[in-house]
């Protein structure tokens, strides 16, 4: 069902019940979960938390607890888009028409006035039929568009924070989780820039409300307090916890613009650093260890030089959090760290441990886990850019007609890092951005990308993901979910559509050729 009032139609219904909480392996979902946990703790609501990675785990978990479930909130299969006659039905007019027609059958000759009125009614009915056909055609288009594409709305964490705010139970920690949930959508290109900026504005008002303090002694913040601040910061991944040089080399935005996989790109990076007047010794050491005199105006210096090199979006609107004076993180830092913890390639520990570790890293009492996540994120970003460089230098990205295709082979360095859906999706998006910057073929710049990576050698399966075209006007709608389903159905390919993200599937390696042939035919 569609829930319009979360307080009345959701929270008040479960307030006196024990709640079964299913949480997807997604940073935004984790943040929403943290907010709900805080609300449940505030209202003494008992709950059971069950992490689920896909539809199969969700079904299994539901069947295990189905005897205890009394209320299930789900999305309706029927969109309930009304038919034409349900809206524009005129019963009185229908009765008049029936009477007129019955009178016409009895009387053989019609007066001229009645004939004229009948002609007007026929013309009017013809116009109404045409309007009805147009309306029903538009209705079909709306339903097709809704079912054909996959896209994301407002962050789940923001929705949960809005619920807490309506009940006057919102805290600074909840606000931070809402910020991280929104930033996760932006990092993974799930929403448009306009949507991101709009939601940033909404959260900025809450940040001002929660973190505003007068300068008098009575309202001074404690050293150990959590402080959230609005930042107009650099578009560089983890640069405050890394070296500036490593961040420039491993951020998708700068790596693609400089084309760092080429010798010419490396020279351009050196020219960029020289234009700012930053010594290599400074930029290659940890950011925290750089000279204070250089760090004071660093953001302005980088932005000015970036504009000269065609990078006009070097600074973005975001938020930072301070835990005392020692610990400071940007929202994107937490997103990368949490994502890396959740999709850690360690085989010894089960997925549930990764989930719990990622969930714990969002708490300010577990900063050691957050720092561990930052180290894993650095390795992930380095592996991502190295893989992109190999793909572009060896021409692994090829045009298949209606889309670009790239396949990572078994034995490729760090290939297991990209067997998980979020990691592979992020790699695919960054690869597509870099390819668009490197190719001179205008047609290829407008094509989507399909990418495959080995999943299990024993079972002979691969993970496949579809990414929409990298264009400025993109509305972030992804059509590959339905396309994958139809291609698999038409070729009887052995696929598993288990992920909540419909554009990610598991496929038998043996069926890859016929599956791609069907996909080419379908999208041509």
């Amino acid at each position: 069902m569609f829930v319009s009032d979360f307080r009345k139609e959701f929270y008040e219904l479960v307030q006196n019940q024990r709640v079964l909480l299913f949480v997807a392996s997604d940073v935004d979902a984790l943040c929403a979960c943290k907010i709900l946990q805080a609300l449940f703790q505030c209202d003494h609501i008992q709950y059971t938390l069950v992490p689920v990675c896909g539809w199969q785990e969700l079904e299994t978990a539901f069947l295990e607890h189905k005897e205890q479930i009394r209320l299930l909130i789900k999305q309706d299969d029927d969109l309930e888009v009304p038919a034409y006659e349900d809206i524009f039905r005129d019963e009185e007019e229908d009765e008049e028409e029936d009477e007129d027609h019955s009178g016409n059958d009895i009387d053989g000759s019609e007066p001229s006035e009645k004939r004229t009125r009948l002609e007007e009614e026929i013309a009017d009915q013809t116009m109404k039929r045409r309007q009805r056909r147009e309306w029903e055609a538009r209705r079909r288009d709306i339903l097709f568009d809704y079912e054909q594409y996959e896209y994301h709305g407002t962050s789940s964490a923001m929705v949960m924070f809005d619920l807490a705010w309506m009940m006057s139970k919102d805290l600074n920690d909840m606000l931070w989780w809402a910020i991280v949930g929104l930033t996760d959508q932006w990092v993974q290109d799930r929403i448009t820039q306009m949507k991101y900026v709009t939601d940033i504005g909404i959260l900025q008002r809450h940040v001002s409300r929660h973190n505003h303090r007068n300068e008098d002694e009575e309202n001074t913040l404690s050293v150990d307090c959590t402080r959230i601040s609005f930042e107009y910061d650099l578009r560089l991944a983890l640069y405050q916890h890394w070296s500036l040089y490593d961040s420039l080399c491993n951020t998708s935005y700068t790596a693609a613009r400089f084309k760092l996989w080429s010798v010419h790109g490396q020279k351009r990076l050196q020219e960029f650093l020289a234009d700012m007047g930053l010594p290599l010794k400074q930029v290659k050491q940890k950011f925290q260890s750089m000279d204070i005199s250089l760090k004071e105006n660093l953001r302005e210096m980088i932005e000015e030089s970036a504009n000269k090199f065609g990078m006009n979006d070097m600074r973005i609107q975001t938020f930072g959090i301070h835990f005392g004076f020692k610990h400071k993180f940007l929202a994107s830092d937490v997103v990368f760290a949490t994502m890396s913890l959740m999709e850690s390639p360690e085989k010894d520990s089960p997925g549930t441990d990764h989930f719990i570790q990622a969930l714990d890293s969002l708490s300010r009492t577990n900063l050691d886990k957050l720092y561990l996540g930052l180290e894993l994120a650095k390795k992930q970003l380095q592996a991502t850019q190295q893989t992109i460089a190999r793909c572009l230098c060896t021409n692994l990205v090829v045009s298949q007609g209606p889309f670009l295709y790239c396949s990572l082979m078994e034995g490729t360095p760090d290939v297991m890092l990209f067997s998980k859906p979020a990691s592979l999706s992020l790699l695919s998006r960054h690869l597509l951005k870099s390819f668009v910057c490197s190719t001179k073929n205008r047609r290829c710049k407008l094509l989507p990308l399909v990418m495959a990576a080995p999943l299990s050698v024993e079972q002979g399966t691969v993970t496949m993901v579809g990414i929409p075209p990298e264009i400025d006007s993109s509305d972030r709608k992804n059509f590959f979910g339905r396309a994958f389903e139809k291609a698999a159905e038409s070729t009887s390919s052995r696929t598993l559509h288990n992920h909540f993200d419909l554009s990610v599937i598991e496929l038998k390696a043996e069926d890859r050729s016929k599956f791609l042939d069907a996909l080419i035919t379908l999208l041509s």
Side-chain angles (χ1 to χ4, degrees):
M1 63 182 178
F2 290 107
V3 179
S4 56
D5 188 335
F6 267 86
R7 182 174 183 173
K8 290 183 179 179
E9 299 176 33
F10 165 64
Y11 197 79
E12 290 181 0
L13 292 178
V14 302
Q15 203 159 9
N16 298 317
Q17 307 287 336
R18 182 181 180 89
V19 180
L20 179 60
L21 194 59
F22 295 116
V23 184
S25 298
D26 176 81
V27 177
D28 182 31
L30 288 182
C31 293
C33 173
K34 291 292 289 184
I35 296 172
L36 270 178
Q37 282 181 308
L39 287 175
F40 288 165
Q41 185 176 2
C42 179
D43 291 324
H44 306 289
I45 298 175
Q46 293 184 327
Y47 66 92
T48 300
L49 177 61
V50 181
V52 289
C53 293
W55 294 109
Q56 286 186 341
E57 288 190 9
L58 179 60
E59 183 182 2
T60 303
F62 173 74
L63 291 175
E64 286 179 2
H65 300 87
K66 69 176 183 179
E67 294 180 359
Q68 305 171 40
I69 294 177
R70 295 181 183 177
L71 175 68
L72 176 67
I73 293 181
K74 69 179 184 66
Q75 192 175 26
D76 282 344
D77 295 328
D78 184 13
L79 295 175
E80 295 183 358
V81 178
Y84 184 89
E85 55 270 12
D86 295 334
I87 299 177
F88 302 104
R89 190 171 183 178
D90 192 343
E91 295 180 355
E92 293 182 1
E93 190 176 23
D94 291 342
E95 290 175 3
E96 288 179 4
E97 289 175 7
D98 292 340
E99 290 176 2
D100 288 342
H101 286 299
S102 62
N104 294 340
D105 293 338
I106 298 171
D107 192 357
S109 59
E110 296 179 339
S112 59
E113 292 182 3
K114 195 170 184 179
R115 186 183 299 112
T116 303
R117 187 161 63 89
L118 183 60
E119 289 173 355
E120 290 175 355
E121 288 177 356
I122 292 173
D124 188 47
Q125 289 175 23
T126 304
M127 179 62 70
K128 285 186 177 180
R129 289 195 196 98
R130 184 183 302 160
Q131 290 175 348
R132 175 174 178 170
R133 284 196 296 269
E134 292 174 355
W135 192 89
E136 289 182 341
R138 176 161 173 72
R139 178 176 180 269
R140 284 195 298 271
D141 290 341
I142 291 172
L143 290 172
F144 178 81
D145 185 63
Y146 182 87
E147 295 172 350
Q148 184 76 3
Y149 298 101
E150 178 187 13
Y151 49 91
H152 293 80
T154 302
S155 157
S156 301
M158 278 192 67
V159 173
M160 292 299 107
F161 176 77
D162 193 50
L163 170 66
W165 175 60
M166 285 191 295
M167 297 190 298
S168 300
K169 295 177 181 177
D170 53 317
L171 303 172
N172 224 16
D173 286 335
M174 295 183 187
L175 177 56
W176 176 245
W177 293 324
I179 289 169
V180 174
L182 171 61
T183 307
D184 174 56
Q185 287 191 318
W186 180 78
V187 166
Q188 300 198 53
D189 278 338
R190 289 178 172 173
I191 54 175
T192 62
Q193 184 68 18
M194 181 61 70
K195 171 67 173 170
Y196 174 71
V197 172
T198 302
D199 288 348
I200 281 284
I202 294 171
L203 292 174
Q204 189 176 355
R205 291 192 288 272
H206 289 295
V207 167
S208 300
R209 179 170 57 86
H210 273 280
N211 296 272
H212 175 71
R213 293 289 187 276
N214 296 324
E215 294 183 357
D216 58 346
E217 294 182 0
E218 292 182 3
N219 292 312
T220 302
L221 282 171
S222 168
V223 174
D224 296 327
C225 265
T226 300
R227 291 174 290 122
I228 302 174
S229 58
F230 175 76
E231 308 271 353
Y232 193 51
D233 216 314
L234 297 172
R235 194 173 184 170
L236 295 176
L238 311 178
Y239 79 95
Q240 295 183 7
H241 308 278
W242 216 348
S243 70
L244 187 61
Y245 184 82
D246 284 330
S247 182
L248 284 165
C249 290
N250 295 290
T251 298
S252 169
Y253 180 72
T254 50
R257 297 305 189 281
F258 284 129
K259 304 177 184 177
L260 292 180
W261 54 87
S262 64
V263 176
H264 177 66
Q266 293 291 335
K267 289 182 179 178
R268 277 175 57 83
L269 176 59
Q270 301 296 330
E271 292 170 5
F272 175 74
L273 295 173
D275 185 76
M276 289 189 295
L278 293 176
L280 281 177
K281 183 179 179 182
Q282 289 289 328
V283 297
K284 288 191 174 182
Q285 64 180 340
K286 274 196 169 184
F287 179 80
Q288 300 295 339
S289 303
M290 288 179 66
D291 287 348
I292 298 177
S293 58
L294 291 175
K295 289 197 291 185
E296 283 179 353
N297 300 315
L298 183 65
R299 294 171 181 83
E300 290 75 15
M301 290 166 56
I302 291 179
E303 185 178 25
E304 184 180 348
S305 295
N307 290 333
K308 296 178 184 177
F309 283 76
M311 295 181 290
N312 301 321
D313 301 321
M314 196 61 181
R315 293 180 76 174
I316 57 165
Q317 299 178 51
T318 185
F319 295 94
I321 192 167
H322 301 254
F323 299 117
F325 289 118
K326 184 178 180 182
H327 308 286
K328 181 187 176 182
F329 306 93
L330 293 177
S332 58
D333 298 340
V334 179
V335 169
F336 282 118
T338 307
M339 193 188 306
S340 298
L341 285 170
M342 195 156 42
E343 297 207 332
S344 174
E346 295 177 8
K347 295 183 178 180
D348 298 334
S349 53
T352 307
D353 290 350
H354 295 156
F355 177 91
I356 294 172
Q357 202 169 29
L359 192 66
D360 288 345
S361 70
L362 292 170
S363 301
R364 53 179 164 167
T365 55
N366 293 309
L367 292 182
D368 54 335
K369 293 183 179 178
L370 184 56
Y371 280 112
L372 173 62
L374 289 173
E375 294 305 313
L376 290 174
K378 292 175 188 177
K379 294 178 182 178
Q380 184 82 33
L381 289 171
Q382 286 176 327
T384 298
Q385 290 306 319
Q386 289 167 5
T387 303
I388 289 173
R390 280 192 292 269
C391 291
L392 295 177
C393 292
T394 56
N395 297 319
L396 285 180
V397 182
V398 295
S399 174
Q400 295 284 2
F403 59 86
L404 301 169
Y405 176 69
C406 179
S407 177
L408 298 181
M409 305 303 294
E410 183 64 38
T412 305
D414 302 315
V415 71
M416 290 312 297
L417 287 173
F418 307 111
S419 61
K420 302 291 180 68
S423 302
L424 183 59
S425 295
L426 206 60
L427 169 66
S428 304
R429 293 182 191 281
H430 291 181
L431 175 59
L432 185 56
K433 291 178 191 291
S434 299
F435 180 81
V436 167
C437 290
S438 67
T439 186
K440 296 179 181 179
N441 189 323
R442 291 185 179 180
R443 182 178 174 276
C444 287
K445 290 177 183 283
L446 305 176
L447 294 179
L449 172 69
V450 174
M451 190 165 189
L455 176 62
S456 172
V457 181
E458 295 81 9
Q459 298 178 5
T461 56
V462 296
T463 303
M464 190 169 285
V465 61
I467 303 296
E470 182 61 30
I471 52 179
D472 294 336
S473 59
S474 174
D475 52 9
R476 299 297 186 268
K477 289 185 178 181
N478 195 328
F479 55 85
F480 275 109
R482 289 292 294 273
F484 284 164
E485 287 180 12
K486 289 184 178 297
E489 184 180 345
S490 63
T491 57
S492 301
S493 298
R494 290 164 290 178
T495 58
L496 181 60
H497 303 261
N498 184 43
H499 300 285
F500 296 123
D501 186 346
L502 301 179
S503 61
V504 181
I505 64 167
E506 296 174 18
L507 173 70
K508 280 285 186 180
E510 300 169 358
D511 299 335
R512 182 171 7 189
S513 297
K514 64 178 183 180
F515 177 82
L516 288 174
D517 290 340
L519 195 61
I520 293 169
T521 304
L522 188 65
L523 299 178
S524 296

mmCIF file of all heavy atoms in Angstrom, residues 202-220:
data_model
loop_
_atom_site.group_PDB
_atom_site.id
_atom_site.type_symbol
_atom_site.label_atom_id
_atom_site.label_comp_id
_atom_site.label_asym_id
_atom_site.label_seq_id
_atom_site.Cartn_x
_atom_site.Cartn_y
_atom_site.Cartn_z
ATOM 1 N N ILE A 202 16.843 21.411 2.271
ATOM 2 C CA ILE A 202 15.933 21.007 3.357
ATOM 3 C C ILE A 202 16.719 20.633 4.616
ATOM 4 O O ILE A 202 16.399 21.069 5.728
ATOM 5 C CB ILE A 202 15.063 19.818 2.898
ATOM 6 C CG1 ILE A 202 14.131 20.244 1.764
ATOM 7 C CG2 ILE A 202 14.259 19.250 4.068
ATOM 8 C CD1 ILE A 202 13.396 19.101 1.094
ATOM 9 N N LEU A 203 17.770 19.849 4.430
ATOM 10 C CA LEU A 203 18.569 19.414 5.579
ATOM 11 C C LEU A 203 19.376 20.555 6.180
ATOM 12 O O LEU A 203 19.651 20.553 7.387
ATOM 13 C CB LEU A 203 19.514 18.279 5.154
ATOM 14 C CG LEU A 203 18.832 16.954 4.799
ATOM 15 C CD1 LEU A 203 19.839 15.964 4.248
ATOM 16 C CD2 LEU A 203 18.131 16.356 6.016
ATOM 17 N N GLN A 204 19.752 21.529 5.357
ATOM 18 C CA GLN A 204 20.535 22.657 5.869
ATOM 19 C C GLN A 204 19.753 23.445 6.913
ATOM 20 O O GLN A 204 20.318 23.925 7.897
ATOM 21 C CB GLN A 204 20.935 23.570 4.707
ATOM 22 C CG GLN A 204 21.931 24.647 5.112
ATOM 23 C CD GLN A 204 22.376 25.484 3.921
ATOM 24 O OE1 GLN A 204 22.010 25.206 2.787
ATOM 25 N NE2 GLN A 204 23.176 26.508 4.191
ATOM 26 N N ARG A 205 18.439 23.550 6.710
ATOM 27 C CA ARG A 205 17.606 24.251 7.698
ATOM 28 C C ARG A 205 17.582 23.499 9.032
ATOM 29 O O ARG A 205 17.608 24.104 10.106
ATOM 30 C CB ARG A 205 16.192 24.431 7.148
ATOM 31 C CG ARG A 205 16.118 25.410 5.987
ATOM 32 C CD ARG A 205 14.687 25.782 5.661
ATOM 33 N NE ARG A 205 13.954 24.696 5.025
ATOM 34 C CZ ARG A 205 13.933 24.492 3.708
ATOM 35 N NH1 ARG A 205 14.623 25.286 2.895
ATOM 36 N NH2 ARG A 205 13.240 23.494 3.191
ATOM 37 N N HIS A 206 17.531 22.167 8.948
ATOM 38 C CA HIS A 206 17.566 21.364 10.178
ATOM 39 C C HIS A 206 18.931 21.470 10.862
ATOM 40 O O HIS A 206 19.019 21.501 12.097
ATOM 41 C CB HIS A 206 17.257 19.904 9.863
ATOM 42 C CG HIS A 206 15.826 19.646 9.493
ATOM 43 N ND1 HIS A 206 14.788 19.828 10.380
ATOM 44 C CD2 HIS A 206 15.259 19.216 8.334
ATOM 45 C CE1 HIS A 206 13.635 19.522 9.793
ATOM 46 N NE2 HIS A 206 13.901 19.156 8.548
ATOM 47 N N VAL A 207 20.003 21.534 10.062
ATOM 48 C CA VAL A 207 21.354 21.667 10.629
ATOM 49 C C VAL A 207 21.476 22.991 11.380
ATOM 50 O O VAL A 207 22.024 23.048 12.492
ATOM 51 C CB VAL A 207 22.417 21.572 9.509
ATOM 52 C CG1 VAL A 207 23.790 22.015 10.021
ATOM 53 C CG2 VAL A 207 22.508 20.149 8.984
ATOM 54 N N SER A 208 20.950 24.051 10.792
ATOM 55 C CA SER A 208 20.991 25.360 11.461
ATOM 56 C C SER A 208 20.202 25.330 12.762
ATOM 57 O O SER A 208 20.604 25.913 13.771
ATOM 58 C CB SER A 208 20.415 26.433 10.534
ATOM 59 O OG SER A 208 21.162 26.519 9.340
ATOM 60 N N ARG A 209 19.079 24.628 12.749
ATOM 61 C CA ARG A 209 18.227 24.559 13.947
ATOM 62 C C ARG A 209 18.898 23.768 15.067
ATOM 63 O O ARG A 209 18.831 24.147 16.241
ATOM 64 C CB ARG A 209 16.891 23.905 13.553
ATOM 65 C CG ARG A 209 15.894 23.743 14.678
ATOM 66 C CD ARG A 209 14.551 23.322 14.119
ATOM 67 N NE ARG A 209 14.635 22.092 13.349
ATOM 68 C CZ ARG A 209 14.554 20.866 13.878
ATOM 69 N NH1 ARG A 209 14.387 20.735 15.182
ATOM 70 N NH2 ARG A 209 14.621 19.803 13.109
ATOM 71 N N HIS A 210 19.558 22.661 14.712
ATOM 72 C CA HIS A 210 20.149 21.783 15.738
ATOM 73 C C HIS A 210 21.512 22.263 16.218
ATOM 74 O O HIS A 210 21.903 21.959 17.347
ATOM 75 C CB HIS A 210 20.302 20.359 15.184
ATOM 76 C CG HIS A 210 19.088 19.515 15.345
ATOM 77 N ND1 HIS A 210 18.761 18.884 16.511
ATOM 78 C CD2 HIS A 210 18.082 19.212 14.472
ATOM 79 C CE1 HIS A 210 17.635 18.207 16.371
ATOM 80 N NE2 HIS A 210 17.197 18.394 15.132
ATOM 81 N N ASN A 211 22.252 22.961 15.388
ATOM 82 C CA ASN A 211 23.643 23.273 15.706
ATOM 83 C C ASN A 211 23.893 24.760 15.917
ATOM 84 O O ASN A 211 25.031 25.205 15.971
ATOM 85 C CB ASN A 211 24.567 22.746 14.594
ATOM 86 C CG ASN A 211 24.526 21.239 14.485
ATOM 87 O OD1 ASN A 211 25.274 20.548 15.153
ATOM 88 N ND2 ASN A 211 23.618 20.722 13.664
ATOM 89 N N HIS A 212 22.821 25.544 16.011
ATOM 90 C CA HIS A 212 22.971 26.976 16.268
ATOM 91 C C HIS A 212 23.172 27.203 17.755
ATOM 92 O O HIS A 212 22.409 26.739 18.583
ATOM 93 C CB HIS A 212 21.729 27.733 15.784
ATOM 94 C CG HIS A 212 21.765 29.189 16.120
ATOM 95 N ND1 HIS A 212 22.613 30.069 15.501
ATOM 96 C CD2 HIS A 212 21.067 29.909 17.031
ATOM 97 C CE1 HIS A 212 22.423 31.285 16.009
ATOM 98 N NE2 HIS A 212 21.490 31.214 16.937
ATOM 99 N N ARG A 213 24.236 27.909 18.074
ATOM 100 C CA ARG A 213 24.503 28.286 19.474
ATOM 101 C C ARG A 213 24.942 29.746 19.512
ATOM 102 O O ARG A 213 25.725 30.201 18.689
ATOM 103 C CB ARG A 213 25.623 27.417 20.087
ATOM 104 C CG ARG A 213 25.262 25.946 20.251
ATOM 105 C CD ARG A 213 24.240 25.756 21.350
ATOM 106 N NE ARG A 213 24.013 24.364 21.631
ATOM 107 C CZ ARG A 213 23.183 23.586 20.949
ATOM 108 N NH1 ARG A 213 22.521 24.087 19.940
ATOM 109 N NH2 ARG A 213 23.022 22.319 21.269
ATOM 110 N N ASN A 214 24.420 30.479 20.499
ATOM 111 C CA ASN A 214 24.890 31.850 20.697
ATOM 112 C C ASN A 214 26.297 31.826 21.279
ATOM 113 O O ASN A 214 26.771 30.805 21.790
ATOM 114 C CB ASN A 214 23.952 32.609 21.639
ATOM 115 C CG ASN A 214 22.569 32.764 21.046
ATOM 116 O OD1 ASN A 214 22.431 32.942 19.834
ATOM 117 N ND2 ASN A 214 21.550 32.707 21.900
ATOM 118 N N GLU A 215 26.960 32.934 21.213
ATOM 119 C CA GLU A 215 28.356 32.981 21.645
ATOM 120 C C GLU A 215 28.499 33.244 23.146
ATOM 121 O O GLU A 215 29.602 33.430 23.643
ATOM 122 C CB GLU A 215 29.104 34.056 20.851
ATOM 123 C CG GLU A 215 29.208 33.726 19.356
ATOM 124 C CD GLU A 215 30.014 34.755 18.601
ATOM 125 O OE1 GLU A 215 30.429 35.749 19.232
ATOM 126 O OE2 GLU A 215 30.228 34.562 17.397
ATOM 127 N N ASP A 216 27.389 33.295 23.859
ATOM 128 C CA ASP A 216 27.513 33.503 25.299
ATOM 129 C C ASP A 216 27.931 32.219 25.983
ATOM 130 O O ASP A 216 27.813 31.125 25.433
ATOM 131 C CB ASP A 216 26.202 34.025 25.896
ATOM 132 C CG ASP A 216 25.028 33.079 25.627
ATOM 133 O OD1 ASP A 216 25.201 32.202 24.777
ATOM 134 O OD2 ASP A 216 23.974 33.228 26.265
ATOM 135 N N GLU A 217 28.432 32.311 27.182
ATOM 136 C CA GLU A 217 29.009 31.164 27.883
ATOM 137 C C GLU A 217 27.978 30.083 28.190
ATOM 138 O O GLU A 217 28.299 28.898 28.236
ATOM 139 C CB GLU A 217 29.672 31.636 29.180
ATOM 140 C CG GLU A 217 30.883 32.538 28.939
ATOM 141 C CD GLU A 217 31.540 32.945 30.246
ATOM 142 O OE1 GLU A 217 31.042 32.518 31.311
ATOM 143 O OE2 GLU A 217 32.534 33.675 30.197
ATOM 144 N N GLU A 218 26.733 30.466 28.415
ATOM 145 C CA GLU A 218 25.715 29.491 28.793
ATOM 146 C C GLU A 218 25.414 28.512 27.658
ATOM 147 O O GLU A 218 25.066 27.360 27.895
ATOM 148 C CB GLU A 218 24.430 30.224 29.189
ATOM 149 C CG GLU A 218 24.569 31.029 30.472
ATOM 150 C CD GLU A 218 23.261 31.698 30.849
ATOM 151 O OE1 GLU A 218 22.256 31.476 30.122
ATOM 152 O OE2 GLU A 218 23.233 32.421 31.854
ATOM 153 N N ASN A 219 25.530 28.963 26.404
ATOM 154 C CA ASN A 219 25.174 28.120 25.268
ATOM 155 C C ASN A 219 26.385 27.577 24.513
ATOM 156 O O ASN A 219 26.263 27.080 23.402
ATOM 157 C CB ASN A 219 24.287 28.902 24.286
ATOM 158 C CG ASN A 219 22.926 29.202 24.883
ATOM 159 O OD1 ASN A 219 22.291 28.319 25.436
ATOM 160 N ND2 ASN A 219 22.501 30.447 24.808
ATOM 161 N N THR A 220 27.567 27.692 25.100
ATOM 162 C CA THR A 220 28.769 27.211 24.435
ATOM 163 C C THR A 220 28.759 25.688 24.371
ATOM 164 O O THR A 220 28.430 25.012 25.340
ATOM 165 C CB THR A 220 30.028 27.680 25.194
ATOM 166 O OG1 THR A 220 30.009 29.104 25.259
ATOM 167 C CG2 THR A 220 31.292 27.229 24.465
#
